[in-house]
Amino acid sequence: MTSLIRHKGWTWGFRSTVLLYFLALIVLPIFGVYVQSLSAGWEALIESVADPIAWKAVLLTVKLGLISTFINVLIGTMIAWVLIRYKFPGRTLLNSLVDLPFALPTAVGGLMILLLLGPGSWIGEAAERLGFQIVFHQPAIVIAMIFVTFPFVIRAVQPLLEELDPLEEEAAYTMGASRRRTFFKVVLPSMLPGIISGGMLAFSRALAEFGAVVLVAGNIPGRTLIASVFIFGEVESDNPVGAAAVSVMLLTLSFAILWVINLVQQRGRRA
Amino acid sequence: MRRLWIGLTYAVFTILLIIPLSRIAVGAFEHGLDGFATALLRPEALHALMMTGLIVIVVTFLNGLFGIMMALYLVRATWLSRKLKGVLNSIVDLPYAVSPVIGGLMIVLLLGPDSIIGGFFEGIGFKVVYAFPGMVIATLFVTFPLMVREVMPVLQEIGEDQEQAAATLGAYGWTTFAKVTWPSIRWAVVYGIVLTVARSLGEFGAVLVVSGNIMNHTQTATTLVYQDVENFNVAAANGVALVLAAFSVGLLLVMEWAKKRKGVH
């Protein structure tokens, strides 16, 4: 019996199954999109990319992604700081709530925004009376992006703050540094790797977001049509080449961000 | 100063998370308990919830198993060169960077009726895309990194000493795994499973593209919510959304519990 289990063939069978599963599931599909986008030649790819609706969608996604990342970096850093440094009632509860946007289906997130800010809700009506619209316009997309990427910065900064030796801060105070100066010279630099990698993760997630956005975006080309919704539309209207072209643009961008995150993290580990 | 920061934190949480969550609950019961029950007991809602449940079970099982194996290989395998392990390790993260819609598109391109592989399966009477297998594959793709990323750091941290000691004492590979490795990665695995369940429960973009969202056939809970909203049937959407949200909150609680156990081992 044991000789049967220990037989070499089993081991190799196991290893190749796992690697094959991995290659077939992850590598092959990604490879497939790149091949498909080139299937009709370079010119067709360039033509699809040069379509103003396509590149404007990508550009709009990047722009709104940057705005939402910026806001998330600010509130995320603040929340990470408060949750680690201050003891107050409800802290543990808030700390577990941080992960809620990860656990919640994105379509549900979109529905929430629609209910709270959409037509018929009092915030939506009040905003309309003041002369600007939220849902089906750019603000709603930014809000949806902020919602789904909320945990990234917090979860990246928290461990760094926990690790930070209080002695370093105390040393700064002892040498006469003001609170503000200590924060900017000691605390902020040690949070920075987390802020950068968390922010970039949030940005790449915002670029990719679909579920929450599709319910609240108006999908007007050039104004409120973001890349993932554009791709979905192309698939629905049976134009896989156009969908693949925009996908390749978005994918290449996301992979570049992922690569930079890896670089930042490696440098952080070495320092 | 301190008061201000804590107050601001509470404000952000209330506005961004607590109010929206309670709004869903209120919305679901807008037409009373009956309205909630009708929304949930529609045949398409029951079918959609069943589809979601099936996908969650199959995906969690497959990705749990292969995820643990992959993590073991990436950390321990001596039959892979360091360089190759590095490359594979970065490939594991790729699904994070891929938009779910693109993930779905990939599978349609690769296995759709017009592709070589899809055409072959269609020929023998086996539908992949716009059917259950395609939806499972799409969810597998999206959730693959979760388990690997939970188990790998624990394996790296515990090191190889105990496993080598067990092997020196004559334990077989399987015994070593069961008696030495498994007890230390157990809670990371639980955490990975919870994350995988949560993600496959909520997967929307990839499944929407691959399934075609055919009512009573390939519709899942999340795509039903989407369709209800598109049909301006927001009250019904709320009912299903509340069930999904309740599951997510439940999973979040399990996550907290597992996190505590993981820290203790």
Side-chain angles (χ1 to χ4, degrees):
Chain A
M1 184 63 193
T2 43
S3 66
L4 197 67
I5 293 174
R6 296 191 72 195
H7 192 274
K8 268 268 192 279
W10 276 95
T11 323
W12 282 109
F14 241 57
R15 288 173 183 176
S16 14
T17 314
V18 172
L19 283 186
L20 258 177
Y21 178 85
F22 178 66
L23 290 177
L25 191 68
I26 312 291
V27 183
L28 197 63
I30 294 177
F31 194 65
V33 168
Y34 278 88
V35 171
Q36 173 74 32
S37 71
L38 286 173
S39 64
W42 278 100
E43 281 139 39
L45 173 68
I46 291 167
E47 203 173 297
S48 303
V49 171
D51 177 8
I53 299 182
W55 64 258
K56 272 186 184 160
V58 175
L59 214 63
L60 180 73
T61 315
V62 172
K63 185 183 106 186
L64 298 181
L66 280 176
I67 297 174
S68 64
T69 306
F70 178 71
I71 298 174
N72 251 335
V73 161
L74 291 183
I75 57 176
T77 311
M78 176 194 87
I79 289 175
W81 165 266
V82 171
L83 286 179
I84 294 287
R85 283 307 168 92
Y86 298 138
K87 300 260 180 294
F88 55 95
R91 191 179 70 123
T92 340
L93 180 73
L94 291 191
N95 196 23
S96 359
L97 263 183
V98 169
D99 286 324
L100 185 70
F102 279 163
L104 206 67
T106 50
V108 175
L111 178 62
M112 284 174 171
I113 296 167
L114 194 63
L115 285 176
L116 274 178
L117 308 175
S121 69
W122 60 268
I123 302 179
E125 307 253 294
E128 201 142 330
R129 225 167 293 140
L130 288 174
F132 63 97
Q133 288 147 319
I134 303 175
V135 163
F136 308 127
H137 289 80
Q138 293 185 1
I141 304 177
V142 174
I143 295 171
M145 284 175 170
I146 293 175
F147 178 81
V148 290
T149 58
F150 178 68
F152 284 107
V153 177
I154 305 177
R155 289 298 184 231
V157 172
Q158 271 180 333
L160 296 177
L161 266 180
E162 251 167 9
E163 261 172 45
L164 178 66
D165 194 347
L167 284 177
E168 284 183 39
E169 269 174 89
E170 279 160 28
Y173 289 135
T174 324
M175 291 193 281
S178 66
R179 273 186 148 238
R180 163 178 289 201
R181 197 166 160 170
T182 313
F183 181 81
F184 282 107
K185 291 275 170 182
V186 179
V187 181
L188 195 62
S190 59
M191 287 198 287
L192 207 58
I195 296 177
I196 293 173
S197 64
M200 294 196 100
L201 275 176
F203 181 58
S204 76
R205 182 77 166 70
L207 291 186
E209 184 45 36
F210 173 69
V213 170
V214 72
L215 285 176
V216 296
N219 306 338
I220 302 161
R223 303 263 308 279
T224 55
L225 180 68
I226 65 158
S228 58
V229 181
F230 174 80
I231 295 168
F232 177 62
E234 293 292 280
V235 175
E236 291 285 276
S237 50
D238 219 13
N239 178 12
V241 178
V246 177
S247 301
V248 163
M249 279 205 275
L250 207 59
L251 275 181
T252 313
L253 196 61
S254 306
F255 291 156
I257 296 170
L258 204 66
W259 181 66
V260 174
I261 296 173
N262 269 332
L263 280 188
V264 170
Q265 276 170 349
Q266 268 168 14
R267 184 149 314 161
R269 223 170 285 145
R270 234 174 277 144
Chain B
M1 229 15 206
R2 183 193 131 96
R3 281 245 175 96
L4 173 77
W5 291 126
I6 295 176
L8 265 178
T9 303
Y10 261 105
V12 170
F13 274 95
T14 316
I15 294 170
L16 206 59
L17 301 175
I18 298 169
I19 294 179
L21 201 60
S22 26
R23 183 64 185 83
I24 289 271
V26 173
F29 292 104
E30 217 159 30
H31 301 293
L33 205 59
D34 287 341
F36 178 62
T38 353
L40 270 193
L41 295 177
R42 291 174 294 165
E44 61 264 34
L46 288 177
H47 187 270
L49 287 169
M50 189 193 75
M51 282 305 270
T52 300
L54 280 177
I55 291 177
V56 167
I57 293 168
V58 176
V59 166
T60 310
F61 175 75
L62 283 177
N63 265 350
L65 196 66
F66 283 105
I68 297 172
M69 298 290 289
M70 196 69 205
L72 273 172
Y73 288 159
L74 283 179
V75 179
R76 293 279 191 268
T78 43
W79 48 276
L80 286 169
S81 73
R82 274 187 76 118
K83 239 192 188 141
L84 191 61
K85 270 199 266 191
V87 172
L88 290 177
N89 189 25
S90 22
I91 294 178
V92 169
D93 278 331
L94 292 188
Y96 281 151
V98 175
S99 172
V101 186
I102 301 180
L105 171 71
M106 288 170 174
I107 286 152
V108 173
L109 290 179
L110 209 62
L111 302 173
D114 301 329
S115 67
I116 305 166
I117 310 173
F120 169 74
F121 279 116
E122 202 104 315
I124 57 172
F126 185 72
K127 265 188 93 150
V128 182
V129 168
Y130 309 120
F132 186 67
M135 294 155 75
V136 168
I137 295 172
T139 317
L140 284 175
F141 174 82
V142 175
T143 57
F144 185 74
L146 296 168
M147 179 62 89
V148 183
R149 284 289 168 254
E150 280 309 313
V151 175
M152 269 184 74
V154 180
L155 280 175
Q156 271 156 351
E157 206 179 301
I158 58 174
E160 256 175 302
D161 296 355
Q162 295 183 6
E163 285 164 30
Q164 274 166 358
T168 322
L169 294 174
Y172 297 126
W174 173 246
T175 322
T176 314
F177 177 78
K179 300 258 171 179
V180 180
T181 318
W182 175 251
S184 30
I185 61 169
R186 191 166 43 179
W187 290 105
V189 170
V190 171
Y191 200 69
I193 288 177
V194 177
L195 286 178
T196 312
V197 170
R199 192 74 171 77
S200 37
L201 189 77
E203 185 41 43
F204 171 65
V207 169
L208 182 64
V209 171
V210 170
S211 71
N213 204 10
I214 308 159
M215 193 181 271
N216 281 331
H217 184 56
T218 61
Q219 197 162 48
T220 65
T222 48
T223 56
L224 174 66
V225 170
Y226 169 70
Q227 197 181 352
D228 279 340
V229 174
E230 295 284 287
N231 294 344
F232 300 105
N233 190 358
V234 178
N238 275 328
V240 182
L242 180 64
V243 173
L244 285 172
F247 263 106
S248 315
V249 173
L251 287 171
L252 208 62
L253 292 176
V254 180
M255 234 142 92
E256 280 304 305
W257 172 73
K259 213 189 279 176
K260 267 184 211 126
R261 295 301 302 257
K262 197 169 72 166
V264 187
H265 284 315

